[in-house]
């Protein structure tokens, strides 16, 4: 066996190990179980922190009603919906913080799913 074959084999083995770690563990990226609301929850940069925020929100409807409401508000993404909420004055107070309504509802959906 020559040196090139050995280096190529080690590189392939390293790539396979890295791909396995990425896919089957939470070493590189946190993997969440699939939900019916993944089309909305993919807009969240950190779903775990959104769950913590959503747990603080009181008086929200069930997850299906939240998802239906958010699907109508977020055709262009969370950033655009949050900017529209701020411009329209749709802010919600959560633990002393004033946050855009769409962000709060999405965090509540993350906490319920």
């Amino acid at each position: 066996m020559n040196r090139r074959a050995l280096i190529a084999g080690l590189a392939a083995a390293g790539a396979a190990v890295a791909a396995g770690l990425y896919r089957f563990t939470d070493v590189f990226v946190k993997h969440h179980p699939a939900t019916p609301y993944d089309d909305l929850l993919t807009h969240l940069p950190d779903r775990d922190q959104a769950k913590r925020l959503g747990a603080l929100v009181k008086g929200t409807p069930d997850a299906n009603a939240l998802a239906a409401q958010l699907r109508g508000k977020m055709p262009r993404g969370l950033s655009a919906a949050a900017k529209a909420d701020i411009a329209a004055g749709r802010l919600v107070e959560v633990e002393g913080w004033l946050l855009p309504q769409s962000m709060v509802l999405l965090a509540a959906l993350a906490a319920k799913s």
Side-chain angles (χ1 to χ4, degrees):
M1 179 185 299
N2 61 15
R3 188 181 319 176
R4 287 185 186 172
L6 178 65
I7 292 172
L10 289 175
V17 167
L21 286 174
Y22 175 80
R23 173 63 182 97
F24 298 111
T25 67
D26 292 335
V27 172
F28 296 115
V29 176
K30 175 77 173 157
H31 296 284
H32 298 281
T35 68
Y37 316 112
D38 282 342
D39 60 319
L40 295 168
L41 296 176
T42 57
H43 294 287
L44 291 170
D46 189 349
R47 194 181 295 188
D48 294 327
Q49 293 299 322
K51 285 181 182 181
R52 290 179 60 198
L53 174 65
L56 299 173
V57 179
K58 304 296 180 210
T60 57
D62 66 334
N64 288 329
L66 277 173
Q69 185 177 0
L70 284 167
R71 284 186 179 112
K73 288 181 83 166
M74 294 181 45
R76 295 176 302 178
L78 179 60
S79 178
K83 287 177 185 175
D85 284 345
I86 292 169
R90 293 186 300 262
L91 301 174
V92 178
E93 183 179 350
V94 179
E95 295 287 317
W97 290 84
L98 283 177
L99 302 169
Q101 183 183 30
S102 54
M103 184 180 295
V104 172
L105 294 178
L106 191 57
L109 179 64
K112 290 178 186 282
S113 62

